[in-house]
Amino acid sequence: MELQIRIKMNEHLFLRDPESSELGRKIVRQSILLIHEIGFEDFTFKKLAVAIHTTEAGIYRYFENKHRLLVYLVTWYWNLLEYQVLYQINNLTDPEMKIRKVIELLSKEIDENIGGSDINHKVLYQIVIAESNKVYQTKEVGENNKAQVYKPYKDLCTLIANLFTEYNPSYAFPRSLASTLVEMAHFQYFFMHHLPSLTDFGKDKDTRKLHEFLEVLVFSNIRNGK
Amino acid sequence: MELQIRIKMNEHLFLRDPESSELGRKIVRQSILLIHEIGFEDFTFKKLAVAIHTTEAGIYRYFENKHRLLVYLVTWYWNLLEYQVLYQINNLTDPEMKIRKVIELLSKEIDENIGGSDINHKVLYQIVIAESNKVYQTKEVGENNKAQVYKPYKDLCTLIANLFTEYNPSYAFPRSLASTLVEMAHFQYFFMHHLPSLTDFGKDKDTRKLHEFLEVLVFSNIRNGK
DNA sequence: TTAGAATGATAGTAAAGCTATCTAATAAAA
DNA sequence: TTTTATTAGATAGCTTTACTATCATTCTAA
C-alpha cells in the first residue's frame, strides 16, 4: 500500500501553493539542498533560480521572500513530525513508552518514504537543526504568531506536554519542559558537532549518549512531581 | 571605590579596538540600542552611521561586518557574566547555593554599574535573548571556533558544569546540562513573551516561575546521580 | 477553440554591503 | 616647534541582494 499524506500548509506561508505545480515542488526540493549547502545567510533566490533553471521572478511568485520559504520548510518538518508522533504512539498505552518514542523521533531525521513527497528528510533535518530558530527569532514573531504560522510547532509541544501530564499530573512545568526537550534535541546535536565542549558527547559524537541525556533530562524532572 | 573592570576582547572580533576611541565606544553603545529597536536583520551600518553622525566607512574601520559586531556584543555579555558569577560565588561554600546564584544571574540583566563602561546592560540582555544564537548558528561556526571566538561562552559553561560536578560527582552530563541551562534561561524568557503557549508562565509572565522552572530542571537532574 | 493560468524572458530600481581615496584634524615624537 | 603618524570625515563608486513590473509564450481545462 502506498500511503500518501497530504500536509495542509498555512496559506500565509506562501503566495502560491508550491505543492500545486512542478516549479513549486522544484523550489522546495532544491532550496533544501541549497540552504544546507551554503547556509541560510548566503542563500538567495537568485542562486536558487540558477540551480533550478528558472528566474528570480519565478520564485517570487511562490514565496514572498527567503525567510518565508525557510518558515515553510521548517513548518513542513513540524507537521510531519507531529504526524509521526501521533502515528507511532497510537498503539502504545504506557505513557513512559510514549515519551521514549517521542524522544527517539526527535533525535533523528524522518524516514525518507514517509510524507508522500520526494523531499529529502535527511537534509531537511539538518536545516531544522542549523536554522530553525531563525524562524521565530525575528522582529515579526508577533505578526507571524497571529497568522498561526507557529501553530504546528506549538501543537507538537502541546502534544508532548500532555504526555508529561499523563505520566505525572502533578508536574508543574509540562509545557516548558516540552519546549526544552524539543529545542535541546536539536541544540545538543548542533553543539556535539560544532561546539563539542558544550556537551558530554563531543569526543565520540555518539547519538545514543545524546539520546540518553534527553531521557534523563525529561524523566528526572517528571518523576519528581515538582 | 570605583571599580573598573577591563574586559579583554578577542582580537578576531574587531579590526580596530572599539574601546580605544570615542567613535568606537559610540559604535558599540549605539548599536546595542539600534539592534534592539529594529532587530538584527534590519540593522545596517548605514543606519548606525546616521544615528551616530558618522559614515558607513567609519564603522567598517572597526568591524568587518554587522555579524562580527553582534558577536562582539554577545561575547562582551558572556565575559561580564562569567566575571559576575565568579565574583558572586566566591564567598559561597555550599555548591547548591552557588548553583542557585548562577541561575539567578542568568535570569536577569547585569547591574548597570558593573563593568566600568556605560553600556546599557538592560538592553544588551534583551539582545542576548533575541539574537545571541545567530552568533554561532552560521556557516562560519568552525572558523570562529578555531579563532577562539566562543571561548567566553564555553568558559562560562565549563564553570557551571564544574559546579554540577562539585554538587554531584556521579552526574553524567554536566556540560550538556550547563548549556541547556544557559540556553533555556534565555529561550524560556523569549517564549514567555512571544510564544507564551510554549511555557507554563505565559499568562502572568512571572519571572519567578521561570526561575523556579530552571531550578527544578537543574536540581532534578543532578540530584538523581544519573 | 478559446479564455485563463503558469512560466519565461527581460528590465529596472532601491537598498545593502562593501572598498578606495583624499583631505582635515589632532596628537605623539623628534 | 616642527614633523610625522594616526584617526576621522567626506565623497565616490561598485557589486550583490531584494524585489517589482511588463509582455510574450506555452500549456491546460472549460
Side-chain angles (χ1 to χ4, degrees):
Chain A
M1 186 186 81
E2 269 288 317
L3 187 58
Q4 180 93 357
I5 309 149
R6 183 92 180 111
I7 294 177
K8 195 174 161 359
M9 298 290 283
N10 183 320
E11 306 212 342
H12 287 273
L13 294 179
F14 50 76
L15 297 170
R16 177 180 299 174
D17 184 2
E19 288 301 316
S20 73
S21 78
E22 191 49 40
L23 181 60
R25 282 186 295 270
K26 257 196 201 168
I27 290 171
V28 170
R29 274 188 263 124
Q30 265 297 131
S31 66
I32 291 172
L33 301 177
L34 193 53
I35 291 172
H36 179 247
E37 192 187 331
I38 64 180
F40 185 64
E41 271 61 47
D42 287 348
F43 169 83
T44 68
F45 277 2
K46 177 78 201 158
K47 288 173 187 168
L48 178 59
V50 170
I52 60 179
H53 307 294
T54 185
T55 57
E56 237 183 317
I59 297 170
Y60 276 104
R61 286 189 184 114
Y62 286 86
F63 292 98
E64 217 174 307
N65 54 52
K66 70 172 184 171
H67 188 259
R68 288 292 170 99
L69 171 55
L70 181 65
V71 179
Y72 182 92
L73 297 178
V74 171
T75 301
W76 205 93
Y77 171 84
W78 294 128
N79 270 314
L80 196 57
L81 188 60
E82 194 198 356
Y83 169 82
Q84 280 265 100
V85 168
L86 284 169
Y87 185 82
Q88 298 253 11
I89 67 175
N90 179 45
N91 56 330
L92 301 174
T93 46
D94 182 12
E96 179 172 334
M97 290 310 289
K98 292 185 194 174
I99 293 168
R100 288 191 189 281
K101 180 51 86 177
V102 167
I103 295 174
E104 191 197 317
L105 290 171
L106 271 169
S107 331
K108 59 170 201 191
E109 64 265 24
I110 295 164
D111 247 312
E112 274 318 311
N113 46 2
I114 284 177
S117 131
D118 50 357
I119 283 183
N120 188 329
H121 292 127
K122 234 188 260 290
V123 180
L124 180 56
Y125 185 67
Q126 296 301 319
I127 290 180
V128 169
I129 284 172
E131 323 277 6
S132 65
N133 299 296
K134 293 165 192 168
V135 158
Y136 51 76
Q137 301 224 351
T138 158
K139 273 279 157 181
E140 291 92 43
V141 217
E143 300 164 44
N144 284 341
N145 195 28
K146 261 184 205 138
Q148 304 269 54
V149 163
Y150 308 119
K151 192 169 180 297
Y153 181 49
K154 297 198 288 191
D155 286 351
L156 180 70
C157 281
T158 302
L159 172 62
I160 297 172
N162 288 340
L163 294 179
F164 294 160
T165 302
E166 187 187 348
Y167 182 95
N168 176 0
S170 74
Y171 175 65
F173 308 107
R175 295 180 160 269
S176 287
L177 188 62
S179 54
T180 296
L181 170 62
V182 173
E183 291 298 332
M184 280 307 123
H186 299 148
F187 264 77
Q188 294 291 322
Y189 184 100
F190 182 88
F191 287 157
M192 177 168 82
H193 286 285
H194 298 108
L195 300 165
S197 71
L198 296 176
T199 71
D200 300 281
F201 6 88
K203 273 178 194 136
D204 25 321
K205 305 214 189 315
D206 187 346
T207 316
R208 280 169 309 175
K209 279 194 187 165
L210 164 53
H211 197 265
E212 200 196 329
F213 166 69
L214 295 173
E215 292 198 341
V216 172
L217 183 75
V218 167
F219 286 109
S220 301
N221 268 268
I222 54 177
R223 263 205 273 270
N224 274 7
K226 189 199 142 143
Chain B
M1 188 187 79
E2 271 288 314
L3 187 59
Q4 180 91 358
I5 307 150
R6 183 92 183 111
I7 293 177
K8 195 174 161 0
M9 299 290 283
N10 184 321
E11 306 212 341
H12 287 273
L13 295 179
F14 51 76
L15 297 170
R16 178 179 300 174
D17 184 1
E19 288 301 317
S20 73
S21 78
E22 191 50 40
L23 179 62
R25 283 186 294 270
K26 257 196 202 169
I27 291 170
V28 170
R29 272 187 265 124
Q30 266 297 130
S31 67
I32 291 172
L33 301 178
L34 193 54
I35 291 172
H36 178 249
E37 192 186 330
I38 65 179
F40 185 65
E41 272 59 48
D42 287 349
F43 169 83
T44 68
F45 277 2
K46 177 78 200 159
K47 288 173 187 168
L48 178 58
V50 171
I52 58 179
H53 307 293
T54 184
T55 57
E56 235 183 318
I59 298 169
Y60 276 105
R61 286 189 185 116
Y62 286 85
F63 292 99
E64 216 174 308
N65 54 52
K66 70 172 183 172
H67 188 259
R68 286 294 168 99
L69 171 55
L70 181 66
V71 179
Y72 182 92
L73 297 178
V74 171
T75 302
W76 205 93
Y77 172 85
W78 295 128
N79 270 314
L80 197 57
L81 188 62
E82 194 199 356
Y83 169 81
Q84 280 265 98
V85 168
L86 284 169
Y87 184 81
Q88 298 252 12
I89 66 175
N90 179 45
N91 56 330
L92 302 173
T93 46
D94 182 13
E96 180 172 334
M97 291 310 290
K98 292 184 193 175
I99 293 167
R100 288 191 190 281
K101 179 55 85 177
V102 166
I103 295 174
E104 191 197 316
L105 290 171
L106 272 170
S107 330
K108 59 169 202 193
E109 63 265 24
I110 294 164
D111 247 313
E112 274 317 312
N113 46 2
I114 284 176
S117 131
D118 50 356
I119 284 182
N120 189 328
H121 293 128
K122 233 187 262 288
V123 180
L124 179 57
Y125 185 66
Q126 295 301 319
I127 290 180
V128 168
I129 284 173
E131 321 279 7
S132 66
N133 299 296
K134 294 166 191 168
V135 158
Y136 52 76
Q137 301 224 354
T138 159
K139 273 280 157 183
E140 291 91 44
V141 218
E143 301 164 43
N144 284 342
N145 196 26
K146 262 185 203 138
Q148 303 269 54
V149 164
Y150 308 119
K151 192 170 180 297
Y153 181 50
K154 297 198 291 191
D155 285 352
L156 180 70
C157 280
T158 301
L159 172 62
I160 297 172
N162 288 340
L163 294 179
F164 294 160
T165 303
E166 189 188 346
Y167 181 96
N168 177 359
S170 73
Y171 176 64
F173 307 107
R175 296 181 158 270
S176 287
L177 188 61
S179 54
T180 298
L181 170 62
V182 173
E183 291 298 332
M184 281 307 123
H186 300 147
F187 264 78
Q188 294 293 320
Y189 184 100
F190 182 89
F191 287 157
M192 177 168 81
H193 287 284
H194 298 107
L195 300 165
S197 71
L198 296 176
T199 71
D200 300 281
F201 6 89
K203 270 176 198 142
D204 24 322
K205 305 214 188 316
D206 188 344
T207 317
R208 278 168 311 176
K209 278 195 188 164
L210 164 52
H211 196 264
E212 199 197 329
F213 166 69
L214 294 173
E215 290 197 343
V216 172
L217 182 75
V218 166
F219 287 109
S220 300
N221 268 270
I222 55 177
R223 264 204 273 271
N224 274 7
K226 191 203 142 138

